[in-house]
Amino acid sequence: MRYLSCFLLAVFLYSIPADAATYEWTDDKGVVNFTDNPENIPAKYRNKARKRPSITAEPSESAPTQPQQPGASSQAPETTPQPERVVLYGGHDEEWWRSSYGRLRNELKAIQDGLPGKREDLVAARRKFTIYQYPQYRKAYYDLLAEIEKNEARITELNGQIESLDLEAARAGVPLEWRK
């Protein structure tokens, strides 16, 4: 009985279709192309590519319903919802743009939030170094000073990266709400 249940479980799991997105575009020669990776779409066709619904996808509930016109029969054929279109800006989708901005801004915020505490620690370390003049206090002071300078350099670098990402986004026409 145990082997039978394992066999049935394996058959069941094997029969579950993969839920991967498929992208479709038509090239200049009229050939319809498909891929599962939006980065494989040639740049020339990215704005024309559309995401095809997967086999297991549920019908979209957000599809607008057409009001019934007077005199129209109730047996009018239903229109199938159009597949979701993937919009690529600069070769990247919305998730990539949002995550790129989020990653840079989160790291910048973390460094900026930690800097005031480190500066207070630096003042305390300098006080100890000045009063006691032990080598370990001098080393602690200079190590903390080097760490603060490193953080300030990283803040400048992150601001530059955000600035260059803004320029790239502006050139690609990325919507402003994706840049937040």
Side-chain angles (χ1 to χ4, degrees):
M1 185 68 176
R2 182 174 166 198
Y3 294 111
L4 179 62
S5 61
C6 289
F7 174 75
L8 290 175
L9 180 64
V11 168
F12 175 78
L13 291 176
Y14 181 76
S15 66
I16 295 175
D19 193 20
T22 305
Y23 302 92
E24 171 186 347
W25 75 97
T26 307
D27 62 14
D28 292 336
K29 296 178 184 176
V31 176
V32 179
N33 298 280
F34 300 92
T35 184
D36 61 349
N37 185 352
E39 294 178 30
N40 291 342
I41 302 171
K44 179 176 173 178
Y45 304 111
R46 285 193 177 134
N47 60 346
K48 297 177 185 175
R50 61 188 182 108
K51 186 176 182 181
R52 294 177 50 94
S54 65
I55 296 171
T56 59
E58 299 280 327
S60 174
E61 293 180 22
S62 63
T65 57
Q66 303 254 341
Q68 183 126 5
Q69 295 189 7
S73 74
S74 61
Q75 298 297 327
E78 292 185 28
T79 59
T80 57
Q82 293 295 322
E84 181 181 319
R85 183 176 172 177
V86 175
V87 180
L88 299 175
Y89 292 95
H92 304 289
D93 61 354
E94 177 180 0
E95 182 182 341
W96 185 89
W97 285 105
R98 287 184 186 269
S99 66
S100 294
Y101 274 100
R103 179 181 45 81
L104 291 172
R105 288 198 173 115
N106 287 341
E107 184 180 351
L108 181 64
K109 184 174 180 356
I111 293 172
Q112 288 175 334
D113 289 348
L115 216 47
K118 289 180 182 177
R119 287 193 176 123
E120 289 175 10
D121 293 344
L122 183 69
V123 170
R126 178 159 177 86
R127 191 174 305 124
K128 282 183 180 179
F129 165 53
T130 305
I131 294 172
Y132 300 112
Q133 297 187 357
Y134 291 130
Q136 67 265 25
Y137 292 138
R138 180 178 12 178
K139 181 177 178 351
Y141 170 77
Y142 285 116
D143 288 347
L144 198 51
L145 183 62
E147 187 178 341
I148 289 173
E149 289 172 352
K150 181 180 168 186
N151 285 347
E152 289 171 342
R154 182 67 181 150
I155 287 172
T156 304
E157 182 183 336
L158 287 170
N159 282 328
Q161 288 177 359
I162 290 172
E163 221 173 276
S164 66
L165 190 62
D166 275 335
L167 288 174
E168 184 182 346
R171 272 188 252 129
V174 175
L176 290 175
E177 60 268 6
W178 292 11
R179 303 182 200 182
K180 294 180 181 175

